[in-house]
Amino acid sequence: MFNRIHRLLNRFFNKSRTINNEPLNKVSLIVIILIDIFILINVFTGLDDISRWHISPAEAYPCYSEWNDYQRNTAQSKDYEMVRSALPASIDYPRNLQQDYRQVEVDRLGTVSPVCLQYAQSKDKINTSANQTIVKTIDQKQTEIAKLEESNRTIRSQYDSTLLEQIAGQPRDQSINSVSAAQAKQKLEQNSKKIAALKTDISELKDQLLQKPESTTLITLLKDSSQFKAVKTGYERAAFWYPSLQLIFQAGFLLPLIFVATFIHNFAQRQRYGLMALMSWHLLVIFCIPLLIKVFQFLQVGVLFQWFFDIIQVLFGGLLFLVSYLYILLIPLIGFGIIKFFQNIVFNPRIQAANRFQKLSCMKCAKRIRRHDVYCPHCGYHQYVECQNCSQPTYKHLPYCKECGYSQNLSDFIR
């Protein structure tokens, strides 16, 4: 097993740095490496672009996050905060939320949820100059309250020290505080009355804003559990399938490149175009690397992961670390299956040997040789093995002896 892996690695590196079994010079090798890096960067850029071709779950259901926060919020002021969020910071920069939601559909696949568009339309209707004035007045009054509360904290700190001075019998003209205890108390009472009046005004303004028809429409929609359930279900379904959809698009981007590179490489090998074979081999490797990476990413965060995650959660409750054990077992098994598939089907020695024999090619390097050559003049590989029945030389990897027709042992095929 290790010898076979070692031979495959040697063959890989030999194909990556030789032209017709002749090693590349250093300058050519550097040029090829730079080309590889440039192409690899562009491949990943293309993969990133095509993975965004279909709108994401957050873009298809842009209202889900805010709506979900509203449903989970237990504060009494959540209605006002939601209405307040519909008003931009400045009236000079009007916002059209519905248009922003639809913008993601331009030149992309997928559509925005109709419920979210309805949600955006309701928020857009709140954004009027009258409502802006109300909110601006509320903000001003809250700023006044903050200043008065800060003033009260300062006065209280001075009030405590003034009382201590009076108890100690210190003369008033020697006090470090600007006001007496009586004045401080009076000022605190005045500020507290102003704060209470301002809070009453703010409460009335908030009620006035929430009683507007456009605000009532938005709050009614937010409290509609059936509408929220539809948005939540759609978002969760989209989030479940989105990694799979991304992998399909990315595979659709890479597979044509892999097929073209494979075709050119095989053609160049048959025609003995060494430089073309080398370049196409590098391209084939570069195109396969991102595909493998994306497949493993999909296994980590895609549908399979979610499926196994749900099973573990149902069976073992909070013991979610068992998912890691599952992957430690699963990934090697998948890798073993992939290796067996390529070894037994794609790169099966018998199939390759039969094709190369028909094309008068070397059993190892696939380069053209003469019919009765014992050793390949390109790679030095010995083409024959001794038949176990008649002891005559017959071709390696082929199932039957060319002299007596005796079935060959599999151990002879892999020598």
Side-chain angles (χ1 to χ4, degrees):
M1 180 65 180
F2 290 106
N3 290 334
R4 179 175 294 183
I5 294 174
H6 181 70
R7 287 197 302 270
L8 288 174
L9 289 176
N10 285 339
R11 183 180 177 186
F12 173 81
F13 286 112
N14 285 334
K15 294 187 69 171
S16 301
R17 61 192 180 192
T18 59
I19 297 179
N20 293 330
N21 293 324
E22 292 292 332
L24 278 174
N25 59 69
K26 293 182 179 179
V27 175
S28 299
L29 188 59
I30 291 173
V31 171
I32 289 179
I33 291 174
L34 291 176
I35 293 173
D36 291 345
I37 294 173
F38 175 79
I39 293 176
L40 192 61
I41 291 173
N42 280 274
V43 167
F44 276 107
T45 302
L47 286 174
D48 182 66
D49 290 340
I50 200 169
S51 67
R52 301 175 189 272
W53 194 12
H54 196 286
I55 61 177
S56 67
E59 292 169 328
Y61 298 89
C63 64
Y64 171 72
S65 178
E66 289 184 1
W67 206 336
N68 187 49
D69 291 341
Y70 176 85
Q71 292 286 331
R72 298 170 63 181
N73 192 355
T74 57
Q76 293 182 350
S77 61
K78 69 176 186 178
D79 289 347
Y80 169 75
E81 294 299 330
M82 181 57 69
V83 173
R84 177 70 178 83
S85 68
L87 297 166
S90 174
I91 192 65
D92 297 329
Y93 300 97
R95 181 184 64 180
N96 190 324
L97 190 61
Q98 189 177 23
Q99 185 177 354
D100 292 343
Y101 282 2
R102 285 192 177 277
Q103 188 64 32
V104 300
E105 297 179 347
V106 178
D107 298 328
R108 298 175 69 185
L109 298 178
T111 57
V112 178
S113 165
V115 180
C116 284
L117 292 176
Q118 180 185 353
Y119 168 86
Q121 185 180 22
S122 299
K123 293 191 75 172
D124 288 336
K125 288 181 179 179
I126 294 175
N127 187 18
T128 63
S129 58
N131 292 339
Q132 284 279 357
T133 301
I134 294 175
V135 170
K136 187 176 181 180
T137 304
I138 291 174
D139 292 342
Q140 290 174 348
K141 291 182 180 295
Q142 288 177 337
T143 302
E144 291 181 32
I145 290 175
K147 291 180 179 179
L148 291 171
E149 288 177 342
E150 178 64 26
S151 175
N152 283 352
R153 284 192 290 270
T154 302
I155 293 172
R156 286 192 183 94
S157 63
Q158 294 179 354
Y159 179 70
D160 293 339
S161 61
T162 302
L163 287 178
L164 291 174
E165 289 173 356
Q166 289 181 352
I167 293 172
Q170 183 175 339
R172 180 72 188 85
D173 57 354
Q174 296 181 6
S175 174
I176 62 174
N177 297 310
S178 59
V179 294
S180 64
Q183 291 174 328
K185 184 177 181 181
Q186 183 180 4
K187 186 66 174 177
L188 284 172
E189 291 176 352
Q190 291 175 353
N191 288 348
S192 297
K193 290 180 180 179
K194 289 181 180 179
I195 290 173
L198 289 170
K199 287 184 176 179
T200 301
D201 293 341
I202 289 174
S203 179
E204 292 175 354
L205 288 170
K206 287 183 177 180
D207 291 340
Q208 180 183 346
L209 181 61
L210 290 176
Q211 289 171 5
K212 293 289 187 71
E214 57 270 20
S215 300
T216 304
T217 301
L218 176 63
I219 299 303
T220 302
L221 176 63
L222 289 171
K223 292 182 177 180
D224 190 339
S225 58
S226 62
Q227 295 276 43
F228 173 71
K229 185 178 180 181
V231 171
K232 182 179 180 181
T233 302
Y235 175 83
E236 291 176 348
R237 185 186 298 113
F240 181 81
W241 288 108
Y242 188 62
S244 306
L245 199 60
Q246 284 185 305
L247 180 64
I248 292 173
F249 282 119
Q250 290 167 344
F253 175 80
L254 286 172
L255 289 178
L257 297 175
I258 292 173
F259 291 147
V260 171
T262 303
F263 174 79
I264 295 175
H265 179 69
N266 292 334
F267 173 79
Q269 279 195 317
R270 289 194 300 269
Q271 300 298 323
R272 300 183 63 185
Y273 297 153
L275 182 58
M276 184 185 294
L278 176 68
M279 296 294 294
S280 58
W281 171 254
H282 277 254
L283 290 176
L284 181 59
V285 173
I286 288 173
F287 297 149
C288 287
I289 289 174
L291 183 61
L292 292 175
I293 292 174
K294 295 303 178 181
V295 168
F296 278 105
Q297 286 179 349
F298 167 75
L299 292 175
Q300 186 65 28
V301 299
V303 175
L304 289 178
F305 174 80
Q306 186 65 41
W307 184 61
F308 286 127
F309 184 86
D310 292 340
I311 291 177
I312 292 295
Q313 194 169 25
V314 171
L315 295 179
F316 301 103
L319 303 179
L320 298 181
F321 63 88
L322 293 175
V323 174
S324 298
Y325 284 124
L326 189 61
Y327 270 104
I328 291 172
L329 174 63
L330 180 64
I331 295 302
L333 289 176
I334 293 176
F336 178 79
I338 293 173
I339 292 172
K340 293 295 291 183
F341 171 76
F342 278 94
Q343 284 294 112
N344 296 334
I345 298 177
V346 180
F347 298 112
N348 188 295
R350 295 188 181 189
I351 298 175
Q352 288 184 329
N355 293 332
R356 291 172 183 176
F357 174 75
Q358 293 175 0
K359 297 174 182 178
L360 295 179
S361 301
C362 171
M363 294 293 183
K364 180 178 181 183
C365 69
K367 290 185 172 60
R368 296 294 292 271
I369 60 175
R370 294 176 299 182
R371 181 175 297 277
H372 299 294
D373 284 346
V374 178
Y375 292 92
C376 175
H378 305 287
C379 66
Y381 184 71
H382 189 249
Q383 305 294 306
Y384 296 98
V385 67
E386 184 179 295
C387 175
Q388 298 173 348
N389 181 50
C390 66
S391 300
Q392 295 297 316
T394 185
Y395 289 105
K396 286 185 178 179
H397 307 298
L398 294 182
Y400 299 99
C401 174
K402 68 183 182 69
E403 299 294 339
C404 67
Y406 185 76
S407 177
Q408 301 298 300
N409 194 308
L410 182 61
S411 62
D412 292 329
F413 300 157
I414 60 175
R415 281 195 303 181

